[in-house]
Amino acid sequence: MGQKVLVIGSGAREHAIAHTLLKGSSVDEVTVAPGNPGMVGDGIRITQLSQSNHAALIEFVQQNGYDWVFVGPEVPLIEGIVDDFAKAGIKAFGPNKAAAQIEGSKDFAKQLMARHNIPTAKYQTFSDLELAKEYANEHGAPIVIKADGLAAGKGVTVAMDLHTAIRALEDIFVDHRFGSAGAKVVIEDFLEGQEFSLMSFVNGTEFWPMPISQDHKRAHDGDEGPNTGGMGAYSPVPQIPQSVIDEAIDTIVRPTVEGMAEEGTPFTGILYAGLIATANGPKVIEFNARFGDPETEVVLPKLTSDLGAGISEILNGGTPEFTWDETNATLGVVLASKGYPEHVIKGARVPEIPVDEDSHVYYAGVVSDGKGGLVADSGRVLLVETSAPDIKSAQDKVYSIIDKLDWRGMFYRHDIGFKALK
Ligand code: AMP
Ligand code: GLY
């Protein structure tokens, strides 16, 4: 009999994780807590439990006989949900609280990289506005200002002029725009080059890299507008040569995994390296302690092995196998509520989306309208993904699905994948 798995989270990333688990023969039941009603059409169960109520989740797992848990988002990881599950005798895939600091604290990540000579932007940490301003003034623009801690992807200002840098510092220290996340600020050098995301399965000492992907962080076409959680992604990223990927594995992923193990904070779960291919080789912009969103929705469809079997092996101390379709390209476009990310206007009606067997819809911020339909309930609403022999045909295919539908109250970028097609 197949295994029963509980996935924690509610977005398109968790939809993709749950859907991929169900595709493998080792898993025959997946429940997502709290999930969203868009997942149900794929045979995924959902349960109304909050990701921050660890006690209720533990009780749910015990009473319903789940074999193990997959933790999707960073917040419960950083709050120590894997430690809490472990104390209750439940296997959960994800880093414990100590290891999740690699995402939860930029300062922790930067110090780890410094100790292990992992290439990243030069930086300094400040907890005082005047000292921070002085440093920014001396350094000059471009310069990057980051609130330490979690600010849901919005705590970063890439300042191309000093005025913007000073404004960002004042926002953090004076206006407390990011709450307690702004108590410390990291100021770092601006890195120039193409970004790519390199995610790996990690068992504490060893890692299994996935195909790379590229996110689109800005809200509007041509990389204009504010930073978002991500408006679309594709994989592979042909303008990043294999030699750069190999170098990133050798100089970034391996020393990070080995360094964390040596220092007594071994990382188990998905390690996400957000990288920039600079003229001097790949460098780290950020680490995440989980699958990326929207990257997951274009990477997991390439998995040709059984996801649940691989994770089960890791959780049981064995050697997992992960294999990938390296011939086809995948591309996904996010549909977002009007006004995202700054002033989200909820309530748009989600149309029926006709997809073929090479395409899939992964739902995120949706609620039921009570009549069998879905209504947008937050910024990112859903992602339409397709697989095709190359990026151009994947792009054409996704837009041929999206462009003819009525997206009143929502918007999307029309150029996902453009850097690969220049
Ligand atoms: P983060 O939340 O750290 O991923 O930053 C959000 C975005 O800001 C990144 O995806 C980059 O586009 C940009 N960014 C962050 N740090 C740097 C840097 N040091 N140099 C250039 N761009 C950066
Ligand atoms: N797509 C970037 C992230 O998941 O943080």
Side-chain angles (χ1 to χ4, degrees):
M1 220 186 62
Q3 298 196 303
K4 266 175 87 167
V5 180
L6 178 70
V7 175
I8 294 174
S10 63
R13 166 183 57 207
E14 285 74 22
H15 188 167
I17 293 165
H19 181 60
T20 310
L21 285 170
L22 281 175
K23 275 200 238 165
S25 58
S26 72
V27 171
D28 56 25
E29 193 178 316
V30 177
T31 301
V32 186
N36 70 62
M39 298 175 174
V40 176
D42 283 330
I44 297 162
R45 299 170 186 229
I46 57 174
T47 182
Q48 289 307 313
L49 286 173
S50 155
Q51 63 177 33
S52 50
N53 192 343
H54 301 188
L57 289 164
I58 287 169
E59 191 181 318
F60 182 78
V61 168
Q62 287 172 334
Q63 290 190 346
N64 296 285
Y66 285 89
D67 294 286
W68 50 273
V69 180
F70 190 108
V71 187
E74 64 276 18
V75 171
L77 292 167
I78 290 163
E79 288 174 348
I81 199 168
V82 171
D83 312 61
D84 291 343
F85 276 126
K87 277 181 220 143
I90 297 165
K91 290 193 167 109
F93 189 61
N96 62 14
K97 188 172 183 171
Q101 287 184 86
I102 194 159
E103 173 166 5
S105 166
K106 293 211 187 277
D107 211 21
F108 174 94
K110 284 292 194 181
Q111 290 185 26
L112 178 87
M113 287 188 269
R115 285 195 297 275
H116 298 279
N117 292 319
I118 294 162
T120 186
K122 274 221 307 277
Y123 83 109
Q124 283 216 33
T125 306
F126 296 91
S127 44
D128 176 88
L129 174 62
E130 290 312 316
L131 292 176
K133 279 204 223 171
E134 206 176 292
Y135 177 83
N137 275 317
E138 274 166 24
H139 182 288
I143 191 167
V144 179
I145 313 287
K146 302 186 173 188
D148 192 47
L150 286 182
K154 291 165 202 154
V156 176
T157 302
V158 180
M160 300 312 286
D161 57 74
L162 259 182
H163 176 73
T164 309
I166 302 295
R167 273 270 307 279
L169 289 171
E170 286 174 347
D171 266 1
I172 292 169
F173 284 110
V174 184
D175 303 336
H176 298 286
R177 224 178 105 206
F178 303 106
S180 63
K184 259 200 230 167
V185 67
V186 174
I187 302 187
E188 67 181 42
D189 286 3
F190 173 75
L191 299 176
E192 198 162 7
Q194 284 220 18
E195 288 181 48
F196 64 105
S197 307
L198 172 55
M199 304 188 284
S200 305
F201 294 91
V202 187
N203 73 352
T205 51
E206 295 163 282
F207 61 95
W208 291 266
M210 306 181 205
I212 64 165
S213 52
Q214 187 175 61
D215 189 6
H216 297 59
K217 295 232 159 98
R218 300 300 192 109
H220 305 300
D221 290 6
D223 283 347
E224 301 283 339
N227 263 319
T228 69
M231 294 299 293
Y234 63 101
S235 173
V237 189
Q239 65 278 31
I240 304 291
Q242 186 60 42
S243 59
V244 172
I245 302 173
D246 294 341
E247 190 179 342
I249 289 172
D250 284 341
T251 63
I252 294 166
V253 184
R254 181 167 294 113
T256 300
V257 170
E258 292 179 357
M260 290 184 81
E262 271 163 40
E263 294 181 4
T265 51
F267 186 101
T268 299
I270 306 296
L271 180 66
Y272 168 120
L275 308 174
I276 285 194
T278 75
N280 301 316
K283 296 193 180 184
V284 176
I285 311 170
E286 63 164 350
F287 283 117
N288 291 324
R290 48 151 179 97
F291 266 122
D293 191 353
E295 288 93 330
T296 303
E297 297 94 289
V298 298
V299 171
L300 280 184
K302 301 188 150 194
L303 186 70
T304 49
S305 56
D306 181 326
L307 177 63
I311 293 172
S312 239
E313 276 299 312
I314 293 180
L315 288 172
N316 292 301
T319 303
E321 188 193 35
F322 298 104
T323 55
W324 303 92
D325 170 3
E326 310 260 14
T327 55
N328 288 298
T330 48
L331 188 140
V333 177
V334 169
L335 275 295
S337 293
K338 280 250 162 75
Y340 175 70
E342 282 140 341
H343 307 285
V344 172
I345 305 165
K346 299 180 186 179
R349 197 190 63 84
V350 178
E352 283 281 322
I353 307 166
V355 289
D356 62 11
E357 59 181 15
D358 296 323
S359 308
H360 206 80
V361 183
Y362 295 107
Y363 289 94
V366 292
V367 289
S368 166
D369 67 358
K371 295 176 276 188
L374 297 170
V375 172
D377 190 46
S378 75
R380 290 193 290 180
V381 179
L382 59 90
L383 174 144
V384 180
E385 175 269 334
T386 202
S387 168
D390 56 68
I391 292 166
K392 181 75 176 87
S393 32
Q395 188 192 53
D396 287 346
K397 176 87 158 296
V398 173
Y399 286 114
S400 76
I401 297 169
I402 298 173
D403 284 343
K404 56 177 183 273
L405 299 174
D406 177 1
W407 297 106
R408 233 167 301 174
M410 292 186 244
F411 75 99
Y412 58 94
R413 279 184 61 160
H414 303 83
D415 61 351
I416 300 302
F418 77 103
K419 286 183 188 159
L421 300 170
K422 269 196 236 178

